[in-house]
Amino acid sequence: MRKTEIYNMKSPYREDLKISGYSFGHGRKSACIVGSIRGNEVQQLYVCSQIVRKLEELEAANAITADREILVVPSVNHHAMNIGKRFWPVDNTDINRMFPGYDLGETTQRIAAGVFEKVKDYDYGIQFASFYMPGDFIPHVRMMDTGKQNTSLAGLFGLPYVVVRKPKPIDTTTLNYNWQIWDTNAFSLYTMETDFIDEVSARQAVSAVLRFLTRMGILKYNSHNGYISTVIGEEELTSVRTSCGGIYRRLCHPGDEVHMGMPLAEIVHPYEGNVISTVLSPTEGIVFFTHKKPLVTENEVIFKIIRRLHE
Amino acid sequence: MIETVVSMELPVDEKLTIRKNRIMPTHPSGEEKRIAIVTGTHGDELEGQFVCYELLRRLKAEPGYLKGIVDVYPALNPLGIDSITRGIPMFDLDMNRIFPGNEEGPMMESMVYRLTEDLKGADLCVDIHASNIFLMELPQVRINELTAETLVPLARKINVDFVWVHASATVLESTLAYSLNCVGTPTLVVEMGVGMRITKTYGYQLVEGILNVMKEMGVWEGSVGEVRTPVVSTDREVGYLNADSAGIYVPKIKIGEQVEKGALLGEILNPLTGDVEQAVTAPISGLVFTRREYPVVYSGSLLGRILGGVEK
Ligand SMILES: [Zn+2]
């Protein structure tokens, strides 16, 4: 295990922003794993730290294939994490919307450029990300439909689902999208949590990465085969919305099988305590995403359901 | 007449409502042109608030001169303005990156969809921004090169100092202006002043410009003051000043000044050691049209922009 400096930036009043990488094995740039790019991605940081620990053991046991190098970057934006913010503390810009970056540009463009310089040119890029809609997901691999994505490779993580998303203009500045444009096979892994640590899905994510690296011939590691992933397009998910605002009571969870007309959630009057709306499932299928926070507005997407799929 | 464009219930006893004020001519014919003035997408940019007030005051003072419909939307992001938040509180994405919205998307995207539907079909839309809390901008119109042909002639009449035709970028396809221009509603983006402040002179200047454009369109028959001819950037270079050190930036020049290449524009100071970390000099000769106001800088922080002379 070799700890290296990926990027360093001076700060006017704090310690320098030091972005660190951990390299394992030598030779061909095979896999790069990036953890938290946003300051609230604590689960993502935790998962990476556990991967580093595991890879250190495996490297000591000579389990990394010859001529294969793995780089892990656990955290990019700890300047935000250390003070409880999600985005770059000074101007609130999102480093994950600055790729491929620009080394003569604005601060977060420079950080993105510095990081991208070191994480590009790998065969596989794996990012632990979080979605812009906060809530709980079934653990899955997410890929951007750039025409270069390879969903059968994504299935080798052995997570239950692979979701393919058509990129919107705003997605073209993410790490995942730019990895793919620069010919790295890119995968974003979503576990249950972001701001808190969920041990079960963290272990599942660590196993998924080790399983993938083994199947790609980068690592020698015996692991359970995992799932045979179901590939779904994001547009195939049915969104379920609220008809009013209030206190949200969740009745179903990600992974639950639901049938048409089944109550998914209740909205409770914030003063009087009675149920003012019961949100019913418009379809049969498996719950993919649920809103989690205790309050909801009107017309918010609180559930996404994989239509007509059964356990 | 004040109208609700779109409204959604918040969790506890409140609605999020985007409103507009529609000013109609005294004797409408049903064939009028319509112009829309929108601002307040970024909750920390307030220059447009004074423009909305002043424009409405002028229109109401001489109602007989109005020959078209004027819709004024002072606050596209009312929760942001009300809480000194640039973005939409509780939402990750910049409001000016989710246009034209999505009827089936999350709450904010569905609101933006309804807002876009309301703006569509206007004969002109003016979207007023005020940079951000970090930068002061000379009154300018920014135009994507793809729409320059239609928009530059309009921008010349709106009484700004400068028209900046910039390269297109995929990420900018989700702005209000790009989305409206795509569906045939010509939309001018004005940037002027600085975040969290009102620069009254710029406000008066832009109101005069809006009235001038309205006059050209046959929407206004009242008086219009002197209107300046802007510099158009098409054949000019723009020089960027980005910090290379961290510290406190103290500028030495004023916005709107002409500077020579190599001139000292400001210094990045170190308040702990008493040293100058970086002497910032002009990369090219020209007009300073952007100047940093907020002192704390990192490497990369934008300190200013200069519009060069005509390239040889
Ligand atoms: Zn703005």
Side-chain angles (χ1 to χ4, degrees), chain B residues 41-42 44-45 86 96 128-132 191:
Chain B
T41 308
H42 295 131
D44 59 352
E45 301 177 16
R86 180 172 181 79
N96 210 20
I128 306 164
H129 289 257
S131 195
N132 52 41
E191 287 278 2

Side-chain angles (χ1 to χ4, degrees), chain A residues 227-242:
Chain A
Y227 294 85
I228 296 173
S229 307
T230 306
V231 180
I232 44 181
E234 195 171 51
E235 67 285 354
E236 294 169 44
L237 298 169
T238 298
S239 295
V240 186
R241 346 174 120 261
T242 49

Side-chain angles (χ1 to χ4, degrees), chain B residues 52-84:
Chain B
C52 289
Y53 160 80
E54 178 61 13
L55 178 66
L56 287 168
R57 190 189 68 78
R58 293 279 294 270
L59 298 179
K60 292 203 290 191
E62 297 175 302
Y65 290 131
L66 185 64
K67 303 296 167 192
I69 300 168
V70 180
D71 283 336
V72 178
Y73 305 66
L76 299 192
N77 175 13
L79 297 180
I81 301 181
D82 218 72
S83 60
I84 326 181

Side-chain angles (χ1 to χ4, degrees), chain A residues 10-13 79 86-87 90 97 104-107 110 132-133 169 241 244-246 271 296-300, chain B residues 8-9 11 13 92-93 97 103-107 109-110 134 170 242-244 246 248 271 297-302:
Chain A
K10 283 223 175 324
S11 186
Y13 294 94
H79 255 39
R86 177 160 162 84
F87 298 134
V90 184
R97 299 206 183 276
L104 298 175
E106 282 271 1
T107 308
R110 292 184 182 201
Y132 76 104
M133 285 169 62
R241 346 174 120 261
C244 59
Y271 296 162
V296 283
T297 66
E298 178 188 354
N299 210 32
E300 192 50 275
Chain B
M8 296 282 177
E9 265 182 36
D13 207 8
D92 242 22
L93 305 178
R97 296 289 181 273
E103 202 175 4
E104 300 302 316
M107 189 269 265
E109 293 176 44
S110 65
F134 305 107
T170 313
N242 290 86
D244 286 316
I248 291 294
V297 298
Y298 268 73
S299 166
S301 295
L302 190 64

Side-chain angles (χ1 to χ4, degrees), chain B:
Chain B
M1 193 178 66
I2 292 166
E3 296 173 19
T4 293
V5 177
V6 51
S7 177
M8 296 282 177
E9 265 182 36
L10 293 172
V12 187
D13 207 8
E14 187 188 355
K15 286 193 182 75
L16 160 56
T17 304
I18 300 176
R19 291 184 297 179
K20 69 173 178 186
N21 191 353
R22 168 162 288 192
I23 310 292
M24 297 282 289
T26 337
H27 303 290
S29 65
E31 302 291 313
E32 293 67 24
K33 287 190 171 164
R34 166 163 72 104
I35 90 156
I37 309 298
V38 304
T39 192
T41 308
H42 295 131
D44 59 352
E45 301 177 16
L46 304 177
E47 302 277 8
Q49 301 306 307
F50 182 69
V51 174
C52 289
Y53 160 80
E54 178 61 13
L55 178 66
L56 287 168
R57 190 189 68 78
R58 293 279 294 270
L59 298 179
K60 292 203 290 191
E62 297 175 302
Y65 290 131
L66 185 64
K67 303 296 167 192
I69 300 168
V70 180
D71 283 336
V72 178
Y73 305 66
L76 299 192
N77 175 13
L79 297 180
I81 301 181
D82 218 72
S83 60
I84 326 181
T85 310
R86 180 172 181 79
I88 301 162
M90 317 275 294
F91 187 72
D92 242 22
L93 305 178
D94 182 326
M95 189 175 186
N96 210 20
R97 296 289 181 273
I98 55 172
F99 280 87
N102 174 4
E103 202 175 4
E104 300 302 316
M107 189 269 265
M108 270 323 302
E109 293 176 44
S110 65
M111 277 193 96
V112 162
Y113 171 82
R114 304 257 293 270
L115 171 64
T116 310
E117 288 300 301
D118 195 71
L119 288 166
K120 264 187 194 169
D123 296 280
L124 175 69
C125 175
V126 182
D127 180 17
I128 306 164
H129 289 257
S131 195
N132 52 41
I133 63 164
F134 305 107
L135 304 169
M136 166 72 91
E137 299 282 355
L138 214 54
Q140 60 197 264
V141 171
R142 292 196 187 156
I143 296 173
N144 185 321
E145 60 186 359
L146 303 174
T147 49
E149 212 179 306
T150 327
L151 296 183
V152 170
L154 283 165
R156 282 182 192 277
K157 295 179 185 130
I158 205 162
N159 201 25
V160 291
D161 296 78
F162 167 41
V163 176
W164 187 1
V165 180
H166 60 81
S168 60
T170 313
V171 68
L172 298 179
E173 287 171 12
S174 39
T175 61
L176 175 143
Y178 187 95
S179 305
L180 287 178
N181 280 313
C182 270
V183 295
T185 295
T187 301
L188 292 176
V189 176
V190 176
E191 287 278 2
M192 63 178 207
V194 62
M196 293 191 185
R197 295 287 181 273
I198 301 260
T199 314
K200 269 171 90 178
T201 50
Y202 289 173
Y204 288 126
Q205 182 182 336
L206 183 61
V207 168
E208 225 50 61
I210 292 171
L211 288 171
N212 186 52
V213 175
M214 286 169 59
K215 197 160 194 166
E216 292 278 336
M217 293 170 65
V219 171
W220 175 249
E221 293 183 345
S223 61
V224 173
E226 193 79 2
V227 167
R228 65 189 74 194
T229 307
V231 178
V232 181
S233 75
T234 322
D235 50 357
R236 289 165 185 250
E237 185 186 2
V238 172
Y240 288 76
L241 284 79
N242 290 86
D244 286 316
S245 309
I248 291 294
Y249 182 62
V250 180
K252 288 196 179 293
I253 36 101
K254 292 198 186 70
I255 192 151
E257 264 184 47
Q258 288 286 339
V259 296
E260 292 302 316
K261 182 176 178 175
L264 184 67
L265 302 184
E267 288 172 330
I268 299 176
L269 310 176
N270 184 329
L272 185 62
T273 62
D275 295 328
V276 174
E277 295 284 344
Q278 187 191 345
V280 178
T281 56
I284 59 172
S285 300
L287 171 75
V288 177
F289 70 90
T290 305
R291 190 187 88 153
R292 188 173 187 89
E293 297 296 309
Y294 193 79
V296 178
V297 298
Y298 268 73
S299 166
S301 295
L302 190 64
L303 306 177
R305 281 183 284 233
I306 297 173
L307 178 66
V310 179
E311 279 173 33
K312 282 142 203 137

